[in-house]
Amino acid sequence: MSVQTEGTDTAGEPAVRKARVPAPPRGDGRTAGAPSRGRAAAPYLLLLPALLATVVLLGWPLVKNGLLSFQNLNPRQLIQHLTEWNGVDNYREVLTGEDFWRVVGRSVVFTAVNVVLIMVLGTLIGLLLARLGKKMRLLLMLGLVLAWAMPVVAATTVYQWLFAQRFGVVNWVLDKLGWHSMADHNWLETQFSTFAVVTLLIVWMSVPFVAVNLYAATTTIPGELYEAASLDGAGTWKSFTSVTLPFLRPFLLATTFLEIIWVFKSFVQIFAMNEGGPDHLTETLPIYAYVEGVGNQHFGVGAAISFLTILVLLVITSYYLRLVLKQEEDEL
């Protein structure tokens, strides 16, 4: 009977065969990285339709407007289909004129006054919504949403009726209250009174957005923070500055940024109210670009003014945009 024995090494001990571990396939690294790259590209693919729509609907008109700003385009060129390039003459004409800088200063002041009023009133109403009961809050929010949802032209028409010279409700109420000299007062006769009516209209239409969104932001503040503040002896103002305001600061910065853009480019309210009158004294940059371009049929000059309007708006909002971006970086 033969017995099979295992082979031994030189020391007399049984030899132990080391198991060979199979090497991973060469394609494993590429296979594992492909899904991660696909997941990284997914957000950009989802944004692609919106980016394409933006390029088609905004980018191409912006390019065409930029080309027009370097052309001498008047009715003669339109009728004869002529393209006359004049370089930067349109920009030189606008920037060397006094009217443009006067309108720029007027637009900045008008925007600043409106934005301050909108943010202050919107913040106060938003905080009021947070303290009201359920029924009163629902009633107030309904009124805010109706004011915000009203079309701009319809709201402007209503304000024209309210401040009409002969049959306006405002003049009638003031007359009944004892101010008989206001019975036939023309609210659109002077620059100040016209801007007052337009400011009241813009603030009335913009406050609901700020108030409702600020109320929504207050619902995200944990109640434990207010309890801790009250235990530390903080009053109403101290609780607001130490708890409420820090949570609402990102919202206030972002909303202020949006309101600056929306108020600065207001066109319908001013033009429909009095067409930039009296004597062009209530023209802001959007109105000024329209009057010079379409009204006076100097389309090249109007295109140049519109491009300069964009630059002025970028300069105004650059500070707030930097604050918003810094806030996002701090949160990361």
Side-chain angles (χ1 to χ4, degrees), residues 2-332:
S2 61
V3 179
Q4 297 180 353
T5 59
E6 297 180 355
T8 59
D9 57 10
T10 56
E13 296 178 356
V16 180
R17 294 182 179 178
K18 296 182 179 180
R20 298 180 62 185
V21 179
R26 292 183 179 180
D28 284 357
R30 292 191 297 269
T31 306
S36 61
R37 287 196 296 269
R39 287 192 295 268
Y44 300 99
L45 293 177
L46 293 175
L47 290 174
L48 186 59
L51 291 176
L52 291 176
T54 302
V55 170
V56 173
L57 299 177
L58 295 179
W60 177 242
L62 191 62
V63 171
K64 290 289 292 183
N65 190 75
L67 295 176
L68 289 179
S69 66
F70 295 102
Q71 298 178 18
N72 180 27
L73 185 61
N74 294 320
R76 183 178 68 86
Q77 287 78 13
L78 283 176
I79 295 173
Q80 298 180 4
H81 300 283
L82 297 177
T83 301
E84 296 181 2
W85 300 93
N86 60 356
V88 296
D89 289 347
N90 293 331
Y91 291 95
R92 185 182 296 110
E93 178 182 349
V94 172
L95 293 176
T96 56
E98 296 181 358
D99 292 340
F100 175 76
W101 297 109
R102 189 182 300 112
V103 173
V104 169
R106 185 186 304 146
S107 302
V108 172
V109 174
F110 175 75
T111 302
V113 172
N114 278 271
V115 171
V116 170
L117 291 174
I118 290 169
M119 294 305 301
V120 171
L121 295 176
T123 301
L124 293 176
I125 296 176
L127 296 175
L128 176 63
L129 286 171
R131 292 181 173 272
L132 289 177
K134 184 177 180 180
K135 294 183 179 179
M136 289 300 298
R137 183 189 303 124
L138 180 62
L139 183 62
L140 180 56
M141 289 186 67
L142 180 62
L144 292 172
V145 170
L146 289 177
W148 182 55
M150 180 176 290
V152 179
V153 176
T156 305
T157 303
V158 170
Y159 268 72
Q160 286 176 326
W161 291 342
L162 290 174
F163 290 92
Q165 181 176 359
R166 296 189 60 186
F167 303 106
V169 176
V170 174
N171 288 348
W172 179 81
V173 171
L174 293 175
D175 181 36
K176 294 299 181 182
L177 292 177
W179 286 284
H180 302 295
S181 60
M182 302 296 293
D184 293 323
H185 180 69
N186 185 8
W187 290 92
L188 305 180
E189 185 178 9
T190 64
Q191 179 188 33
F192 179 80
S193 59
T194 303
F195 267 136
V197 175
V198 175
T199 298
L200 185 61
L201 170 61
I202 293 178
V203 170
W204 178 75
M205 296 190 66
S206 302
V207 161
F209 172 80
V210 179
V212 173
N213 283 277
L214 188 138
Y215 163 69
T218 58
T219 59
T220 63
I221 303 176
E224 295 81 2
L225 297 179
Y226 290 107
E227 295 177 2
S230 63
L231 292 176
D232 292 339
T236 303
W237 177 251
K238 186 65 176 178
S239 297
F240 174 76
T241 56
S242 61
V243 178
T244 306
L245 189 58
F247 271 87
L248 298 182
R249 186 174 290 112
F251 162 81
L252 293 174
L253 290 176
T255 307
T256 302
F257 177 72
L258 293 176
E259 290 296 335
I260 290 174
I261 296 176
W262 289 339
V263 174
F264 190 85
K265 66 183 183 65
S266 297
F267 176 85
V268 177
Q269 297 92 330
I270 303 174
F271 189 81
M273 186 67 68
N274 201 19
E275 298 184 358
D279 297 328
H280 306 282
L281 293 176
T282 59
E283 286 183 355
T284 57
L285 276 174
I287 307 295
Y288 183 58
Y290 176 82
V291 170
E292 288 295 325
V294 179
N296 297 335
Q297 296 186 344
H298 298 159
F299 301 102
V301 175
I305 296 174
S306 65
F307 250 82
L308 293 174
T309 301
I310 297 175
L311 294 179
V312 172
L313 184 58
L314 290 176
V315 171
I316 294 175
T317 58
S318 60
Y319 175 73
Y320 292 97
L321 182 60
R322 188 172 60 211
L323 289 178
V324 172
L325 295 177
K326 185 178 182 300
Q327 183 72 30
E328 293 180 356
E329 292 176 359
D330 293 341
E331 291 177 356
L332 295 176

